[in-house]
Amino acid sequence: MKKLVPILTAVLLGTATACSSSSGGGDAGGPVELTIWHGQDDMAARSIEKLIASFNKTHPGIRVKSDSGGATADTMLPKVTAAFAAGTYPDIAYMYGSWGAALARSPKVPNLKKYLGGPAVGWDDFWPNTRQTATVSGKVIGFPAVVDDLTVLYNKKMLAKAGLKPPPPDWTWDDFRSYAARLTDAKTKMYGTTWAVSGGEETTWALWPLVWQRGGAILSPDNKKAAFNAAPGVQALTLLQQMAVQDKSVYLDSSPAEKGQKLFESGRLGLFLSGPWVLPDVQAAKIDYGIARLPGTNGDHQTVSGPDNWAVFDHGTRRVKAAAEFLTWLTQPQQQLVWMMDTGSLPTRRSIVKLPGYRDFVKKYPGIGIVTDNLADAKQIRPVTSKYPRVSAFVADAMASVMLGKSDPQSALNDAARKSDALLAVPGQ
């Protein structure tokens, strides 16, 4: 969820043409060699490398080489951008969905649409929001890699000690505020909940469901004007202001290392707005946790989802076709279930929940079924525009100012809207 460095979009466009290739890519008589930069670490890295090894054993015509590219998932875009300029870019890379619009504008990113037909791919089996994220203005830039959504993890022991029952399915944001206040104890440094104020997407993405649930939007339908400073956005940020400034029930996390998760793993955080990617760490910390759907507003429990992509880059038709074949295999239900069991990731396809092994997945990660079901509440995606990361950064600064008690919601959001409108007025996607 890191913010996009502003110059990267220009670099993507400015350097890509010089490196463009339409050749077949390598020796046409031998196996097609592909390089994938996965950017994963720990268990996720071991899992993807295990799957790649399995593919190589069963597909002698394609040889996939796993490489970190010297990048984490958070830093993959600048690494790939630099590699574009040097001509050393991979065939496939793990890319955050919010980077899709910037990637789609590059001629080094081919349109994979012609490779998606037929039952082998099962494109329509992917959740709609994952397909939307992989498709920018009709151009398919990759295959869905990961899908998640925002839910609430809670510490069962802390709730019980405070005399609180587990959150019910119909709980509201007022309930969330009440829970957080009762779970906070300044003397013992126990916190009700946490919120990142480090800037960018870590700060903003949990705000958007509160805005959507109130009938609001991030941008206008044509992506040319800010909409987040209307009444729904102000109401959403006012709630956070009340929790942070008045109730003092929010641990304001200004660290890029995301200390909020460490607080939850140490047993000092009651409610944690997060998703399935933290479950392996939470289980390793032996926290007795539960999972609840996101609180709602007037019965609306919309959540935010963060689909990511396996983006494909152009090293010639032969290698692009081989990359599509590998990703078709990698994203099939059987392979995805292996990845899910290893990492706690959610199913990217509807059909995965019908596999016999899905029951073992749910058993391994208690409460994960709630997170999967919650995908049905992921009805909207963040704007598909290369300018969104900078808009997100403007809003993040406004949120931090309000939650730190330095500004009021309307003024802060209006300031972010002015900056966003000026940016959005500049021609370009």
Side-chain angles (χ1 to χ4, degrees):
M1 302 298 172
K2 301 295 182 185
K3 62 183 179 182
L4 180 62
V5 178
I7 63 170
L8 292 181
T9 300
V11 176
L12 277 168
L13 297 174
T15 64
T17 303
C19 302
S20 180
S21 169
S22 59
S23 67
D27 181 2
V32 182
E33 296 186 356
L34 303 175
T35 298
I36 179 172
W37 290 0
H38 57 69
Q40 308 297 309
D41 55 19
D42 300 330
M43 190 62 239
R46 293 192 291 273
S47 184
I48 189 64
E49 288 162 5
K50 175 175 64 179
L51 286 164
I52 290 170
S54 177
F55 176 86
N56 286 336
K57 288 180 181 178
T58 56
H59 294 74
I62 302 174
R63 179 74 181 178
V64 181
K65 178 185 177 182
S66 167
D67 193 329
S68 69
T72 64
D74 291 340
T75 61
M76 188 62 74
L77 184 61
K79 285 290 184 180
V80 168
T81 302
F84 275 177
T88 57
Y89 55 95
D91 297 277
I92 302 166
Y94 183 95
M95 289 286 186
Y96 287 153
S98 57
W99 296 338
L103 292 171
R105 298 176 66 194
S106 171
K108 293 307 299 175
V109 179
N111 190 344
L112 302 179
K113 191 171 183 178
K114 66 180 179 180
Y115 299 107
L116 305 181
V121 176
W123 187 247
D124 291 340
D125 187 32
F126 287 108
W127 295 104
N129 61 337
T130 67
R131 286 183 274 123
Q132 287 178 315
T133 302
T135 307
V136 182
S137 300
K139 181 178 181 178
V140 180
I141 63 171
F143 282 63
V146 165
V147 64
D148 54 41
D149 60 65
L150 192 66
T151 53
V152 179
L153 280 72
Y154 59 89
N155 184 311
K156 291 183 178 180
K157 292 183 179 179
M158 283 185 65
L159 263 66
K161 186 177 180 180
L164 294 168
K165 295 181 179 180
D170 61 348
W171 72 325
T172 67
W173 285 104
D174 287 338
D175 294 328
F176 182 87
R177 180 185 177 185
S178 176
Y179 271 57
R182 289 181 60 179
L183 290 164
T184 298
D185 186 339
K187 293 181 180 179
T188 59
K189 296 186 177 180
M190 305 293 279
Y191 300 91
T193 190
T194 184
W195 204 285
V197 289
S198 53
E201 203 66 5
E202 293 92 349
T203 300
T204 59
W205 90 301
L207 175 72
W208 302 138
L210 281 78
V211 176
W212 292 333
Q213 290 176 11
R214 290 165 169 78
I218 302 172
L219 301 179
S220 61
D222 60 4
N223 287 341
K224 292 183 178 180
K225 294 281 289 184
F228 53 74
N229 61 324
V234 175
Q235 293 165 7
L237 187 50
T238 297
L239 172 70
L240 301 185
Q241 178 192 42
Q242 291 168 340
M243 294 180 64
V245 179
Q246 296 179 20
D247 303 346
K248 300 189 184 303
S249 63
V250 183
Y251 175 80
L252 297 175
D253 184 6
S254 60
S255 168
E258 299 180 10
K259 290 183 179 178
Q261 180 176 335
K262 298 301 181 184
L263 273 178
F264 191 76
E265 292 172 8
S266 69
R268 294 191 290 127
L269 187 71
L271 304 173
F272 186 28
L273 286 161
S274 193
W277 59 92
V278 302
L279 291 182
D281 292 335
V282 170
Q283 289 189 342
K286 301 187 184 304
I287 295 297
D288 187 10
Y289 71 93
I291 299 178
R293 73 190 299 198
L294 209 63
T297 305
N298 297 323
D300 188 332
H301 289 267
Q302 281 191 74
T303 186
V304 61
S305 182
D308 296 329
N309 299 314
W310 292 115
V312 174
F313 305 115
D314 189 3
H315 281 285
T317 303
R318 187 166 179 251
R319 284 167 67 174
V320 170
K321 182 178 179 181
E325 182 178 341
F326 166 67
L327 292 176
T328 295
W329 177 89
L330 181 66
T331 58
Q332 288 301 301
Q334 293 79 6
Q335 280 72 251
Q336 284 299 289
L337 190 56
V338 172
W339 168 261
M340 289 162 55
M341 290 292 289
D342 288 343
T343 64
S345 293
L346 299 185
T348 53
R349 297 173 175 269
R350 293 185 180 93
S351 62
I352 295 174
V353 301
K354 300 177 182 177
L355 294 177
Y358 181 73
R359 291 191 294 270
D360 295 328
F361 170 69
V362 172
K363 184 178 180 180
K364 182 176 181 180
Y365 297 102
I368 197 72
I370 294 172
V371 190
T372 301
D373 294 343
N374 206 41
L375 286 170
D377 287 322
K379 300 173 183 177
Q380 301 189 55
I381 62 172
R382 287 159 286 182
V384 181
T385 166
S386 61
K387 298 171 183 176
Y388 169 75
R390 292 181 65 189
V391 170
S392 176
F394 295 147
V395 177
D397 289 343
M399 292 176 65
S401 177
V402 169
M403 296 177 77
L404 291 169
K406 299 178 180 179
S407 184
D408 67 273
Q410 186 70 76
S411 299
L413 289 177
N414 282 345
D415 183 57
R418 284 192 292 271
K419 294 175 182 176
S420 298
D421 288 348
L423 172 68
L424 295 166
V426 177
Q429 189 175 39

